[in-house]
């Protein structure tokens, strides 16, 4: 496919001057419009105005300029179709062989904190997507370029073969349809949110590839990491890696769990994650104290874990971290001394993330065979819940403090989940069990002697009183759970029997 005539109209002008100059040097006639035409003219590139081709001026403040048969006929005509060629000849339309178009900056516009609806609407491109889709539809005869990264490929093929190869045109067309689909998806999402529709009849979402991954959950699975345009600012997609080899699929998944958990705490806190579950969480007056508690909560499981902290990592904490094998440390920042210590290990990944960045109103998506489940993120906190003490004994102030801590953690443990906490640290975590008493037994066994005097948090209600029985025998003094079982009275009676204080929140936190 030889290229004799090209139409260039781009919002992203990266590399366009060099590309257009090389096209002109190859004898390609260039048509352009608006800001692109001015940029090319200022650079000395020969260019023909779109209005000279259409015989019609731009109108409606530029809203209408390329929507014309002289343009779309030249793009859409099938070169091997006699009737198409006759129609071009009859109306004096010349074919357009190459279309170089990318779209108005809608995403950048709505990202502005003070953007108005009128500004957003004016940045909805109409002519651009129409030209892109037309050229992509007719890729057998026309090449469409929407990404500056493809300029080099096109020029090299034109220089070496005198044409753009069929395989290249097909790949460019696929990218072009992805480009317009993503563009429309962002517009649809923006307007849907403005209209207040949480679950519309069709779900249109788009993600941008952030990186290819070496493999997925297991080495035999391929994977990539995609980021949501204009997604929550507090996100692994926005973390900055300072040191270490690239993140893996499991690293990103675990790190996401870690930052979501650590966000629950205002005081200095450390969360250690293994396989999407917290293995140790600690809070303290200093980060070092919090890290020490998180480590001592489970010194075996923290090995090779992912650590999230909500304060700058200082020299003293870095020295403690350096003593064990950690995969990742995520923090708001690292002191120079801490970086120097931790970077002595070449494989540890050190990442920074703005912990003051907003979460946004994200939804969680879970793929199932042939579909996807969508739900609002679980942002419910104890501040939203109403504490209801259901036992004869009220929890002491110290127990209340530990119950709050345990409740913040259990929300982030896979169900069925039980967390034991004592003195601002987890001492036992029972995760992902098929029954609740099984999760409690695991947590109690892990806690050992530390279970005595600890508190217990459950992500859901007790269907029977056996969990309370197990807690009492371990020496647990207070329990927090949602309540709501038809056998709540049995659990309350059992707690009263052993002098355990029990609080109902009315809210469960299943996590699957």
């Amino acid at each position: 496919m030889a290229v004799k005539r090209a139409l260039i109209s781009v919002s992203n002008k990266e590399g366009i001057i060099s590309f257009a100059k090389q096209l002109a040097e190859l004898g390609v006639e260039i048509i352009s419009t608006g800001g692109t035409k001015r940029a090319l003219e200022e650079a000395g590139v020969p260019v023909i105005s779109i209005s000279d081709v259409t015989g019609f001026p731009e109108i409606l403040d530029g809203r209408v300029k390329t929507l014309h048969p002289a343009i779309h006929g030249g793009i859409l005509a099938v070169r091997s179709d006699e009737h198409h060629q006759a129609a071009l000849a009859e109306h004096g339309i010349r074919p357009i062989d190459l279309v170089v178009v990318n779209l108005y900056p809608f995403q950048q516009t709505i990202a502005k904190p003070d953007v108005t609806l009128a500004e957003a609407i004016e940045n909805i491109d109409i002519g651009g997507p129409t030209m892109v889709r037309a050229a992509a539809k007719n890729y057998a005869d026309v090449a469409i370029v929407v990404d500056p990264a493809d300029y080099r490929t096109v020029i090299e093929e034109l220089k070496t073969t005198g044409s753009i190869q069929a395989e290249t045109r097909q790949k460019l067309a696929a990218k072009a349809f992805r480009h317009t689909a993503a563009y429309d998806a962002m517009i649809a999402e923006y307007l849907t949110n403005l209209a207040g529709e949480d679950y519309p009849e069709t779900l249109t979402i788009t993600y941008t590839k952030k990186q290819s991954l070496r493999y997925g959950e297991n080495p035999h699975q391929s994977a990539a990491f995609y980021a949501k345009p204009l997604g929550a600012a507090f996100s692994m997609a926005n973390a900055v890696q300072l040191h270490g080899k690239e993140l893996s699929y499991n690293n990103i998944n675990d790190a996401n769990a870690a930052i979501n958990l650590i966000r629950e705490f205002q005081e200095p806190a450390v969360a250690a994650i293994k396989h999407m579950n917290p293995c140790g969480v600690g809070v303290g007056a200093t980060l070092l104290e919090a890290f020490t508690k998180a480590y001592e909560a489970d010194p075996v499981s923290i090995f090779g874990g992912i650590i999230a902290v909500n304060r700058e990592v200082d020299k003293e904490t870095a020295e403690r971290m350096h003593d064990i094998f950690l995969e990742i440390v995520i923090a708001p920042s690292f002191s120079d001394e801490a970086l120097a210590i931790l970077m002595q290990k070449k494989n540890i990944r050190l990442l920074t993330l703005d912990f003051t960045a907003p979460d946004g109103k994200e939804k969680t998506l879970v793929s199932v065979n042939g579909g996807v489940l969508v739900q609002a993120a679980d942002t419910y906190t104890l501040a939203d819940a109403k504490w209801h003490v259901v036992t004869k004994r009220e929890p002491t102030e110290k127990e209340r403090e530990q119950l709050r801590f345990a409740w913040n953690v259990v929300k982030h443990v896979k169900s069925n989940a039980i967390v034991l906490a004592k003195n601002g640290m987890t001492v036992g975590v029972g995760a992902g069990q098929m029954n609740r008493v099984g999760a409690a037994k695991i947590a109690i066994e892990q806690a050992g002697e530390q279970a005595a005097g600890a508190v217990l948090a459950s992500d859901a209600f007790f269907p029977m009183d056996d969990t309370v029985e197990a807690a009492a025998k371990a020496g647990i003094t207070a329990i927090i759970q949602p309540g709501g079982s038809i056998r709540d009275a049995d659990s309350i009676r059992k707690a009263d029997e052993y002098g355990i204080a029990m609080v109902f929140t009315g809210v469960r936190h299943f996590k699957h």
Side-chain angles (χ1 to χ4, degrees), residues 132-208:
V132 170
R133 289 172 56 82
K137 174 178 179 175
N138 201 27
Y139 75 86
D141 294 315
V142 179
I144 170 65
V145 181
V146 296
D147 186 351
D150 294 316
Y151 294 164
R152 181 177 178 180
T153 298
V154 170
I155 288 296
E156 286 181 351
E157 287 196 7
L158 288 174
K159 286 182 176 179
T160 55
T161 69
S163 65
I164 302 174
Q165 303 303 298
E167 182 181 0
T168 301
R169 296 198 305 275
Q170 186 179 56
K171 288 180 178 178
L172 292 172
K175 180 181 278 192
F177 278 118
R178 294 196 298 271
H179 186 61
T180 56
Y183 192 78
D184 283 342
M186 279 189 283
I187 296 168
E189 182 178 16
Y190 175 75
L191 293 177
T192 298
N193 288 339
L194 284 182
E197 297 185 61
D198 289 331
Y199 300 99
E201 74 288 347
T202 58
L203 183 66
T204 51
I205 55 176
T206 185
Y207 292 87
T208 302

Side-chain angles (χ1 to χ4, degrees), residues 92-299:
I93 298 173
R94 292 175 56 200
I96 295 172
D97 309 304
L98 172 63
V99 175
V100 184
V101 170
N102 49 57
L103 310 177
Y104 291 173
F106 183 80
Q107 178 182 337
Q108 294 89 329
T109 299
I110 62 173
K112 299 174 183 176
D114 57 348
V115 65
T116 65
L117 177 58
E119 287 177 293
I121 295 298
E122 281 309 306
N123 277 278
I124 297 177
D125 204 329
I126 301 300
T130 307
M131 288 188 292
V132 170
R133 289 172 56 82
K137 174 178 179 175
N138 201 27
Y139 75 86
D141 294 315
V142 179
I144 170 65
V145 181
V146 296
D147 186 351
D150 294 316
Y151 294 164
R152 181 177 178 180
T153 298
V154 170
I155 288 296
E156 286 181 351
E157 287 196 7
L158 288 174
K159 286 182 176 179
T160 55
T161 69
S163 65
I164 302 174
Q165 303 303 298
E167 182 181 0
T168 301
R169 296 198 305 275
Q170 186 179 56
K171 288 180 178 178
L172 292 172
K175 180 181 278 192
F177 278 118
R178 294 196 298 271
H179 186 61
T180 56
Y183 192 78
D184 283 342
M186 279 189 283
I187 296 168
E189 182 178 16
Y190 175 75
L191 293 177
T192 298
N193 288 339
L194 284 182
E197 297 185 61
D198 289 331
Y199 300 99
E201 74 288 347
T202 58
L203 183 66
T204 51
I205 55 176
T206 185
Y207 292 87
T208 302
K209 188 175 180 180
K210 184 173 175 67
Q211 70 180 93
S212 296
L213 301 173
R214 288 174 294 155
Y215 54 84
E217 199 166 2
N218 297 289
H220 59 272
Q221 295 170 272
S222 60
F225 181 27
Y226 287 81
K228 190 174 187 293
L230 304 178
F234 187 70
S235 159
M236 281 303 298
N238 294 319
V240 176
Q241 187 167 348
L242 305 180
H243 175 74
K245 59 187 179 181
E246 72 176 30
L247 300 176
S248 70
Y249 178 100
N250 290 332
N251 290 158
I252 295 168
N253 223 6
D254 284 345
N256 183 66
I259 64 173
N260 285 336
L261 194 162
I262 207 69
R263 195 65 178 265
E264 300 282 351
F265 300 100
Q266 299 302 314
E267 66 270 49
V270 174
I273 302 292
K274 284 291 283 291
H275 301 296
M276 298 288 289
N277 277 306
C279 60
V281 182
V283 296
T286 66
L287 191 65
L288 178 60
E289 181 186 351
F291 177 79
T292 301
K293 288 179 178 179
Y295 170 76
E296 292 178 351
D298 189 346

Side-chain angles (χ1 to χ4, degrees), residues 433-450:
Q433 298 306 299
M434 287 65 71
N435 63 74
R436 195 152 302 280
V437 70
K441 287 177 179 178
I442 290 172
I444 290 167
E445 182 181 352
Q446 183 188 21
E449 294 180 358
Q450 289 276 58

Side-chain angles (χ1 to χ4, degrees), residues 35 37 54 65 121 129 395 429 493 503:
K37 177 176 175 289
T54 63
K65 49 181 177 278
I121 295 298
V429 178
R493 190 179 307 111
V503 174

Side-chain angles (χ1 to χ4, degrees), residues 31-44:
I31 306 164
S32 191
T33 182
T36 305
K37 177 176 175 289
R38 286 192 297 274
L40 297 180
E41 286 176 331
E42 290 170 2

Side-chain angles (χ1 to χ4, degrees), residues 37-96:
K37 177 176 175 289
R38 286 192 297 274
L40 297 180
E41 286 176 331
E42 290 170 2
V45 179
V47 61
I48 298 170
S49 171
I50 203 94
S51 59
D52 291 336
V53 176
T54 63
F56 203 92
E58 295 182 16
I59 62 171
L60 306 181
D61 298 319
R63 282 191 170 196
V64 179
K65 49 181 177 278
T66 59
L67 298 170
H68 194 282
I71 299 301
H72 289 278
I75 295 172
L76 283 165
V78 176
R79 306 306 194 256
S80 60
D81 188 307
E82 294 180 2
H83 296 292
H84 285 201
Q85 295 307 308
L88 293 187
E90 179 184 353
H91 297 287
I93 298 173
R94 292 175 56 200
I96 295 172

Side-chain angles (χ1 to χ4, degrees), residues 18 20-28 159:
S18 173
K21 283 183 176 179
Q22 292 178 84
L23 287 176
E25 290 168 1
L26 291 169
V28 177
K159 286 182 176 179

